[in-house]
Amino acid sequence: MPLLLGPVLRHVGETSATVWVQTDSPGVVEVLGCSAPTFEVQGCHYGVVLVDGLQAGSVTEYQVHVDGRQMWPEPDATFPPSVIRTRGHDQQDRLQIIFGSCRYPKTGVEKLDDKLGLDALDVYAARLPTTPVDQWPDALVLLGDQVYADELTPEARRHLAGRRTNGRRPPDEVVSFTEYEGLYRHTWGDPEIRWILSTVPTAMIFDDHDIRDDWNTSGAWRREVNAKPWWRDRIRAGLASYWVYQHLGNLSPTELRDDEDYQKVLAAEGDVWPLLVDLADRADAEVDDDKGLRFSYRWDMGRSRLVMVDSRNARILDSGDRKMLGNREFAWLEHQVTDRLDDVDHLIVGSSLPWLLPPAIGDMQMVNERAANRPGRRGKFAETVRQAADFEHWAAFVQSFLDLSRLIVDVASRDADAPATVSVISGDVHHSYVARADIPSARSNVHQLVCSPVHNYVPWFVKPVFKLGWSRRLGRVTRRWAQRNGCPALPFAWSDVDGPLFGNTLATLRTSGRDAEAVFEQPRDATSLDEVARVPLTR
């Protein structure tokens, strides 16, 4: 079949859109009269069509043609035609985005699929055709773990077992680009997922499992994994496939035209893998307290702004000075957040990892970081705990946590142009919650919104740990303990507004004027979801 994957509708502006596809051979891909040639990566073929000339506020059905032949919709399609919905001038003060993270694919093993439960995004896609088009979400935001490169389905393990003949590569982790290609086709190939990705603009960012569990937890982790003979192949394949499958679509048509790496790929003849090897090496390396490639990006959607932060690859670790973001990366974030704030009613910061954890757990991560920085056996033990307990969130990079907190306090406390809401949306932690930041000077309502998982199981120990983590009494004890261990004072307090919620979940952030709310839904059956929480974000 010529169209192997996609179409995936990515960035959509008032008059433009980006459509991504994977084809089975070289060709020219056409959407609504706009076309693009495919490029080749190790025998795989991809096209990114920049569609322009759309009308603001329109809903336009589209088809995908490859070399003049219609490949989408497929002849036996059961879902409605795919559409591109652009924002009109009368829709600038309204926004509806759905978001979540940690979506494990169906395994084909009944017992394991029963353990994973119903896929919340599958169910949402099945329900969407019965919803009027003008009530469809403006964007789907996937906050990490789009694929699991180190926790493979039984089918993927069997496939790899036949390829591992020399013993130099692990039998249960993908290493090459073509193995990643198989993961993406498996994960995005469900009919429900293909359709919703074809018709709802989708923003993405990676988290650790897109590359490997605990990716970039610490300098010690990087040194250990870099010593593995297969890791250089793995990180190149992981970052290159992320660039192809996820990052390119996050960029607007204008940004793609100005992107030097993308233009080199388009201009190259034959396999562009050598270009992607160079790209991946630059992205992985630390140079002058920064990374060589930026994966963070910004989407403006009417009077709402999404700034997506790369809180995985952008980390600075090799120098021993732990930072979630390098200096230039944080300066970029600061500019995107504060730029023309008088045009913004709702500021949304996307980070795969939560900014505000349950206070007791945040204190534990802060204390652990200080201990892990010490020499000797105590430091080594703390580093072991850091990796074993997944102490790798913003609180485990204390200075970066304080910098982000300062930036959010500054934005929320402005006199003239403070947004109505500042929301940090995150995933990763396999449960969902809403936390409110209690900032005395704030004119904005500031919240942490976490939705995870979309489709995964919740380990048995997570529920009591995270319930206990919100205990105010325990929080007072851990705060005193943290201060005795030299941790800085917190810039403000925060509290749990709703949650923790456990189970497969999809969240909606909805704005109207300067009002906003968050809604959390969980699957009831294959075509319907139940609302399990609704939280006003403005008071």
Side-chain angles (χ1 to χ4, degrees):
M1 179 180 167
L3 198 62
L4 297 180
L5 203 57
V8 183
L9 180 62
R10 301 302 307 277
H11 184 280
V12 174
E14 288 190 3
T15 60
S16 66
T18 301
V19 178
W20 178 100
V21 298
Q22 179 180 352
T23 63
D24 71 347
S25 59
V28 176
V29 184
E30 181 181 337
V31 176
L32 294 175
C34 301
S35 62
T38 59
F39 60 90
E40 178 185 351
V41 186
Q42 295 200 339
C44 305
H45 304 275
Y46 305 92
V48 182
V49 182
L50 310 183
V51 181
D52 54 20
L54 300 170
Q55 283 191 324
S58 64
V59 179
T60 307
E61 292 185 11
Y62 74 92
Q63 298 83 39
V64 177
H65 293 79
V66 180
D67 289 339
R69 296 171 55 203
Q70 181 176 317
M71 297 300 162
W72 186 270
E74 296 173 335
D76 56 350
T78 58
F79 282 93
S82 301
V83 302
I84 300 174
R85 297 171 57 240
T86 59
R87 300 183 64 82
H89 299 297
D90 60 342
Q91 301 168 313
Q92 299 302 304
D93 63 348
R94 299 195 304 276
L95 179 72
Q96 181 178 220
I97 65 171
I98 55 176
F99 66 93
S101 80
C102 308
R103 182 180 171 270
Y104 197 78
K106 297 182 183 70
T107 69
V109 178
E110 183 177 357
K111 185 176 181 179
L112 184 52
D113 283 341
D114 287 345
K115 178 181 178 181
L116 290 166
L118 290 170
D119 184 334
L121 189 58
D122 259 8
V123 178
Y124 191 96
R127 186 184 69 177
L128 196 58
T130 64
T131 305
V133 173
D134 61 359
Q135 296 177 27
W136 286 8
D138 299 288
L140 164 63
V141 182
L142 299 176
L143 290 161
D145 296 344
Q146 274 68 265
V147 294
Y148 281 76
D150 56 345
E151 295 183 7
L152 303 180
T153 64
E155 178 186 357
R157 288 175 186 269
R158 288 192 297 270
H159 176 68
L160 286 189
R163 301 165 61 98
R164 301 292 192 253
T165 58
N166 59 15
R168 296 190 65 235
R169 291 181 170 183
D172 56 350
E173 299 189 47
V174 300
V175 174
S176 69
F177 183 90
T178 54
E179 290 168 358
Y180 262 101
E181 185 266 351
L183 280 188
Y184 278 101
R185 286 181 63 185
H186 183 191
T187 306
W188 291 0
D190 286 352
E192 297 88 352
I193 299 304
R194 284 193 75 174
W195 178 75
I196 195 169
L197 292 180
S198 77
T199 207
V200 176
T202 306
M204 306 180 189
I205 198 70
F206 45 22
D207 200 28
D208 55 344
H209 290 287
D210 293 81
I211 303 295
R212 192 172 192 260
D213 187 29
D214 299 335
W215 177 36
N216 283 347
T217 294
S218 63
W221 185 92
R222 279 176 65 90
R223 288 188 294 274
E224 180 181 345
V225 78
N226 278 327
K228 298 181 184 297
W230 50 269
W231 177 251
R232 182 49 43 193
D233 291 338
R234 167 63 165 274
I235 192 65
R236 285 172 171 171
L239 290 172
S241 62
Y242 174 78
W243 187 85
V244 170
Y245 281 86
Q246 300 193 50
H247 178 67
L248 284 178
N250 293 327
L251 304 181
S252 69
T254 299
E255 290 169 326
L256 281 171
R257 293 185 184 104
D258 293 340
D259 188 276
E260 292 184 6
D261 288 310
Y262 182 59
Q263 293 307 316
K264 288 180 182 178
V265 163
L266 289 184
E269 294 185 6
D271 189 353
V272 302
W273 176 244
L275 294 175
L276 297 190
V277 167
D278 173 71
L279 179 152
D281 287 346
R282 284 187 282 116
D284 185 50
E286 294 181 17
V287 180
D288 297 331
D289 199 33
D290 202 40
K291 287 295 184 72
L293 194 67
R294 174 170 296 128
F295 291 119
S296 302
Y297 59 94
R298 163 179 159 182
W299 283 15
D300 288 322
M301 296 173 282
R303 293 191 60 82
S304 296
R305 176 181 299 165
L306 169 67
V307 181
M308 190 73 83
V309 181
D310 166 17
S311 51
R312 275 292 174 184
N313 189 69
R315 297 177 180 189
I316 301 301
L317 302 165
D318 292 343
S319 65
D321 184 14
R322 302 179 197 261
K323 294 177 183 176
M324 188 70 84
L325 308 177
N327 290 341
R328 288 197 296 275
E329 186 82 5
F330 190 83
W332 176 90
L333 171 62
E334 195 165 22
H335 173 72
Q336 304 307 318
V337 163
T338 59
D339 181 39
R340 295 186 289 110
L341 269 177
D342 54 341
D343 293 336
V344 178
D345 288 331
H346 303 279
L347 175 63
I348 307 162
V349 178
S351 167
S352 64
L353 299 160
W355 162 55
L356 299 180
L357 289 167
I361 296 174
D363 285 332
M364 293 171 65
Q365 296 203 16
M366 289 184 180
V367 172
N368 174 264
E369 184 193 30
R370 287 188 62 83
N373 285 336
R374 294 175 179 173
R377 285 185 295 179
R378 184 173 180 181
K380 289 181 179 179
F381 176 73
E383 177 63 39
T384 300
V385 172
R386 182 183 180 94
Q387 295 186 33
D390 288 342
F391 284 176
E392 52 175 346
H393 300 82
W394 285 88
F397 295 78
V398 175
Q399 189 55 55
S400 296
F401 170 80
L402 294 175
D403 289 343
L404 179 59
S405 299
R406 171 191 54 77
L407 176 58
I408 289 175
V409 169
D410 173 66
V411 168
S413 302
R414 297 193 171 204
D415 289 334
D417 55 0
T421 67
V422 179
S423 301
V424 179
I425 60 173
S426 305
D428 178 69
V429 290
H430 284 212
H431 71 288
S432 304
Y433 62 87
V434 178
R436 178 184 295 122
D438 301 315
I439 303 171
S441 62
R443 301 168 66 89
S444 306
N445 298 277
V446 179
H447 292 86
Q448 169 75 73
L449 311 177
V450 176
C451 181
S452 169
V454 171
H455 185 230
N456 214 316
Y457 70 94
V458 180
W460 65 268
F461 57 84
V462 165
K463 296 182 181 181
V465 168
F466 279 98
K467 287 179 180 178
L468 186 61
W470 287 109
S471 164
R472 294 188 179 184
R473 178 178 297 178
L474 179 61
R476 289 192 291 269
V477 172
T478 58
R479 182 86 300 254
R480 290 195 294 269
W481 171 60
Q483 289 178 318
R484 284 199 302 270
N485 279 274
C487 295
L490 298 175
F492 47 79
W494 61 91
S495 56
D496 187 26
V497 177
D498 208 305
L501 304 169
F502 299 99
N504 295 334
T505 308
L506 200 62
T508 301
L509 174 59
R510 187 177 294 118
T511 75
S512 178
R514 289 181 67 84
D515 293 328
E517 65 177 5
V519 179
F520 294 79
E521 295 180 288
Q522 295 182 340
R524 181 200 318 158
D525 53 42
T527 59
S528 57
L529 300 106
D530 289 328
E531 181 181 309
V532 293
R534 181 180 293 262
V535 181
L537 302 180
T538 47
R539 292 177 285 181

